[in-house]
């Protein structure tokens, strides 16, 4: 169906190039490029960032296929993202790094519900709790985590302290 909420958009996700280019490493499935087909209405409903991007695209592209190139995230992260958009949940995510990357994708596309789900799922991942470096690598600061209602015990176990709080909160937030 052409036009409107039922129009299909293509999320084109680039795979990992370093693994594919190395002759010593076998090409893994997650290294391949992926095209995910998503209804425009779903993207616009969840993400104001994607809504603006699609509106801009419609104004300039005419009848071409709607393609959104995603170079910032791995294909498996984009697949979890897409599952969330349709189902409102994520399954079979057993990696802390993947959860943090999906949360970062939620932040990138302004989907706080996805960020919150990922942060809550961190409790179920086996192994060490995420460190401050893990959260920062995923582009999260303490202010983000507190806004999302992150468990203070998880933050303490991750090494967040008053010093990290002072680093992450803007001067404006202190004034207000």
């Amino acid at each position: 169906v052409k036009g409107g909420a039922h129009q299909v958009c293509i999320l084109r996700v680039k795979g990992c190039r370093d693994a594919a280019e190395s002759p010593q490493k076998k090409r893994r499935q997650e290294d391949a490029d992926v095209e995910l087909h998503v209804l425009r209405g779903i993207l616009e409903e969840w993400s104001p960032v994607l809504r603006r991007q699609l509106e801009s695209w419609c104004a300039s592209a005419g009848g071409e296929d709607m393609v959104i190139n995603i170079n910032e995230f791995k294909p498996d992260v984009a697949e979890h993202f897409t599952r969330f958009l349709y189902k409102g949940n994520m399954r079979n995510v057993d990696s802390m790094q993947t959860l943090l990357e999906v949360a970062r994708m939620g932040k990138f596309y302004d989907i706080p519900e996805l960020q919150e789900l990922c942060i809550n799922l961190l409790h179920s991942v086996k192994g060490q709790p995420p460190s401050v470096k893990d959260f920062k690598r995923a582009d999260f600061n303490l202010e983000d985590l507190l806004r999302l209602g992150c468990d203070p015990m998880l933050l303490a176990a991750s090494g967040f302290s008053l010093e990290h709080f002072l680093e992450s909160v803007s001067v404006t937030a202190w004034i207000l």
Side-chain angles (χ1 to χ4, degrees):
V1 178
K2 284 283 188 185
H6 297 288
Q7 185 174 10
V8 174
C9 300
I10 300 169
L11 302 180
R12 187 171 293 145
V13 188
K14 297 291 181 187
C16 301
R17 293 290 169 236
D18 52 346
E21 293 170 0
S22 172
Q24 288 84 14
K25 295 182 182 179
K26 291 183 179 177
R27 186 172 172 89
R28 299 176 308 208
Q29 185 176 354
E30 64 265 20
D31 297 330
D33 293 354
V34 173
E35 284 191 357
L36 302 167
H37 297 255
V38 183
L39 289 174
R40 175 181 173 183
I42 297 283
L43 295 172
E44 291 179 334
E45 178 183 335
W46 279 105
S47 170
V49 173
L50 288 170
R51 183 180 319 113
R52 285 189 300 274
Q53 190 174 351
L54 291 169
E55 287 169 356
S56 172
W57 180 89
C58 284
S60 63
E64 299 174 23
D65 286 340
M66 294 180 118
V67 177
I68 298 171
N69 291 308
I70 299 176
N71 300 316
E72 300 85 4
F73 303 97
K74 294 179 185 176
D76 64 323
V77 171
E79 287 169 357
H80 288 296
F81 174 80
T82 304
R83 178 180 176 79
F84 173 82
L85 296 179
Y86 276 96
K87 303 273 186 177
N89 64 40
M90 292 189 309
R91 296 184 190 224
N92 303 323
V93 184
D94 57 0
S95 159
M96 176 192 62
Q97 252 346 94
T98 300
L99 279 172
L100 288 171
E101 279 300 300
V102 175
R104 186 171 75 89
M105 193 168 185
K107 182 175 181 177
F108 188 84
Y109 288 111
D110 194 15
I111 305 174
E113 298 89 347
L114 177 57
Q115 294 173 276
E116 185 174 348
L117 175 64
C118 292
I119 297 302
N120 290 332
L121 287 173
L122 284 174
H123 296 287
S124 64
V125 176
K126 293 181 170 104
Q128 291 281 13
S131 68
V132 173
K133 285 183 181 179
D134 293 325
F135 282 120
K136 286 187 176 185
R137 197 175 309 120
D139 199 26
F140 278 83
N141 58 39
L142 185 58
E143 185 178 15
D144 294 326
L145 297 172
L146 291 173
R147 179 180 47 78
L148 291 169
C150 190
D151 183 348
M153 296 304 288
L154 178 64
L155 296 176
S158 301
F160 274 104
S161 65
L162 180 59
E163 177 183 322
H164 293 109
F165 182 74
L166 293 173
E167 285 177 7
S168 65
V169 178
S170 67
V171 174
T172 317
W174 281 105
I175 295 170
L176 298 174

